[in-house]
């Protein structure tokens, strides 16, 4: 039985707690059809025994090898669990729903590319979803965005079938896949390689890089970004997520940001606005090897075979291991 949780304040995992010992967008709110906007949410205070029970119950009940908590048991998490309120939902593709969450807790923060443990009242299984918005959106509006593909996993089912405007959940940041340069760091180029919903953390990184470009242009200070090239593959153009957001950034920074969108099973005509950016077929080894340099960092997120292939290719091209970052989502 799932313990009853009071969703009223915030909670810090005790150093001896179950998970504490683990080592390791578009401005404006999304609206419902009625145009309602949620008001600031309160933080969440959970007792350590309650969250411990919830976590253990989640692990024991899930027999799937893809269980998020089991798969990420050795990954570093932040201690704070914060309340969040659903402020908007939209269909990003036929199979993916985008959520915007308000997180009022000032102790909640994340680095571009990280994910959240996603706690749902009444659902014993804990979800794990990459944040696709930039840290700047959280700083300015206390908002984060997630994009969740429909599956039979309970958290995804809840998001697609039961989640409504003003639904209350809780989130905790984790993950070692991120881009968080400091002002004194050397400029770097980025190559982002995404497959399917693996675009989510890479979009967060892309948006963060764009924010850094704006800060450099406006203030002449901060971190100096190099160029960013996004390679993104999906079955067809309807499954290419965030197309408009990506192309808006390409058009805003034509000398800094570029993208190549791949489709592997396209059966319909490609629109005129997308056609210049579309390549039919998978991302190739040559496309990636053309961008190898000592100033370039590579971030890969997609199906495990794709991630394994490109990370191995980059190793064989003598890219230093510390310049190859990847996230696998089964």
């Amino acid at each position: 039985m799932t313990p009853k949780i009071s969703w009223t304040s915030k909670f810090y995992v005790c150093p001896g707690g179950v998970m504490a010992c683990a080592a390791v967008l578009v401005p404006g709110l999304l609206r419902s059809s009625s145009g309602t906007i949620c008001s600031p949410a309160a933080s969440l205070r959970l007792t350590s025994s309650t969250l411990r029970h919830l976590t253990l119950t989640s692990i024991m009940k899930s027999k799937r090898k893809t269980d998020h908590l089991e798969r990420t048991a050795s990954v570093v998490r932040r201690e704070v669990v914060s309340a969040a309120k659903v402020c908007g939902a939209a269909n990003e593709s036929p199979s993916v729903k985008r959520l915007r969450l308000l997180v009022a807790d000032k102790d909640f923060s994340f680095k571009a590319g990280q994910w959240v443990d996603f706690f749902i009242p009444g659902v014993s299984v804990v979800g794990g979803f990459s944040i696709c918005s930039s840290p700047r959106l959280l700083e300015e509006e206390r908002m984060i965005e997630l994009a969740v593909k429909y599956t039979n996993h309970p958290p995804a089912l809840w998001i697609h079938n039961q989640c409504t405007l003003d639904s209350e959940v809780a989130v905790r940041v984790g993950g070692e896949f991120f881009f968080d340069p400091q002002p004194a760091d050397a400029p770097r180029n980025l190559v982002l390689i995404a497959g399917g919903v693996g675009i989510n953390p890479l979009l967060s990184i892309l948006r963060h890089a764009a924010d850094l470009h704006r800060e450099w242009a406006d203030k002449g200070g901060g971190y100096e970004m190099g160029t960013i090239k996004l390679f993104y593959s999906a079955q067809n153009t309807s499954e290419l997520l965030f197309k408009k957001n990506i192309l808006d950034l390409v058009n805003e920074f034509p000398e800094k940001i570029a993208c190549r969108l791949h489709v592997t099973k396209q059966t319909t005509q490609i629109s005129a606005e997308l056609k210049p950016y579309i390549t039919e077929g998978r991302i190739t080894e040559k496309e990636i090897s053309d961008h190898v340099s000592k100033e370039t960092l590579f971030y890969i997120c997609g199906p495990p075979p794709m991630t394994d292939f490109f990370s191995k290719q980059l190793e064989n091209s003598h890219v230093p291991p510390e310049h190859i970052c990847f996230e696998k989502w089964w």
Side-chain angles (χ1 to χ4, degrees):
M1 180 176 178
T2 304
K4 186 175 180 181
I5 301 173
S6 173
W7 300 82
T8 55
S9 189
K10 95 178 149 212
F11 168 74
Y12 292 86
V13 180
C14 298
V18 173
M19 299 307 297
C21 295
V24 318
L25 181 208
V26 181
L29 298 171
L30 292 172
R31 297 170 181 262
S32 69
S33 57
S34 63
T36 306
I37 302 176
C38 72
S39 57
S43 310
L44 163 76
R45 184 177 301 267
L46 306 176
T47 66
S48 59
S49 60
T50 296
L51 187 63
R52 186 179 298 112
H53 181 92
L54 176 59
T55 302
L56 289 174
T57 301
S58 301
I59 292 174
M60 289 187 292
K61 282 192 174 183
S62 177
K63 296 181 180 180
R64 292 167 49 104
K65 291 182 180 179
T66 56
D67 181 85
H68 167 67
L69 289 184
E70 289 180 328
R71 193 173 63 248
T72 62
S74 64
V75 179
V76 168
R77 287 164 162 81
R78 295 200 55 178
E79 293 184 349
V80 63
V81 176
S82 302
K85 184 176 286 189
V86 176
C87 291
N91 292 323
E92 186 61 36
S93 80
S95 61
V96 175
K97 179 172 282 190
R98 177 163 46 109
L99 293 185
R100 178 167 281 204
L101 306 176
L102 188 146
V103 188
D105 182 4
K106 299 294 186 182
D107 290 324
F108 179 90
S109 65
F110 73 98
K111 299 173 183 178
Q114 289 187 300
W115 41 256
V116 291
D117 294 329
F118 194 84
F119 299 91
I120 305 165
V123 177
S124 62
V125 179
V126 177
F129 305 119
S130 292
I131 301 169
C132 56
S133 52
S134 70
R136 184 68 53 85
L137 182 67
L138 178 67
E139 293 167 8
E140 294 180 350
E141 301 184 35
R142 302 310 306 168
M143 299 285 179
I144 64 170
E145 289 188 351
L146 311 174
V148 180
K149 187 170 185 176
Y150 182 90
T151 69
N152 62 2
H153 200 234
L157 278 177
W158 180 87
I159 286 170
H160 279 263
N161 297 336
Q162 295 177 256
C163 177
T164 61
L165 193 70
D166 289 341
S167 289
E168 294 182 334
V169 296
V171 288
R172 173 176 55 192
V173 170
E176 299 167 316
F177 179 85
F178 56 80
F179 178 62
D180 185 40
Q182 302 306 303
D185 291 346
R188 296 290 187 185
N189 303 321
L190 301 182
V191 171
L192 311 177
I193 308 170
V197 291
I199 187 63
N200 285 344
L202 299 184
L203 182 67
S204 178
I205 291 172
L206 180 64
R207 286 170 158 168
H208 183 46
D211 286 333
L212 293 172
H213 275 315
R214 294 186 190 103
E215 183 179 10
W216 182 266
D218 294 343
K219 301 178 181 178
Y223 177 73
E224 183 180 5
M225 278 296 312
T227 60
I228 305 105
K229 183 65 181 276
L230 169 66
F231 295 92
Y232 177 22
S233 177
Q235 289 190 356
N236 53 61
T237 53
S238 69
E239 292 294 337
L240 285 169
L241 309 181
F242 306 106
K243 295 182 287 290
K244 183 179 185 306
N245 303 115
I246 292 168
L247 296 185
D248 283 348
L249 293 177
V250 170
N251 292 326
E252 183 180 355
F253 301 101
E255 297 181 359
K256 289 289 189 177
I257 300 177
C259 74
R260 183 171 292 179
L261 308 176
H262 285 250
V263 290
T264 58
K265 297 182 180 179
Q266 186 73 22
T267 58
T268 60
Q269 187 172 356
I270 298 169
S271 67
E273 63 179 359
L274 274 182
K275 204 159 190 177
Y277 305 96
I278 296 290
T279 299
E280 297 201 44
R282 299 183 184 278
I283 303 167
T284 67
E285 184 176 348
K286 184 178 186 308
E287 287 177 285
I288 305 305
S289 62
D290 284 346
H291 292 273
V292 170
S293 76
K294 63 181 181 180
E295 295 84 16
T296 301
L297 305 179
F298 294 85
Y299 286 82
I300 314 166
C301 188
M306 172 185 169
T307 303
D308 290 340
F309 175 81
F310 285 115
S311 59
K312 185 64 176 177
Q313 175 213 333
L314 290 168
E315 288 179 19
N316 292 339
S317 298
H318 307 293
V319 175
E322 62 271 21
H323 288 188
I324 306 169
C325 308
F326 58 84
E327 184 90 284
K328 290 184 181 179
W329 289 96
W330 281 260

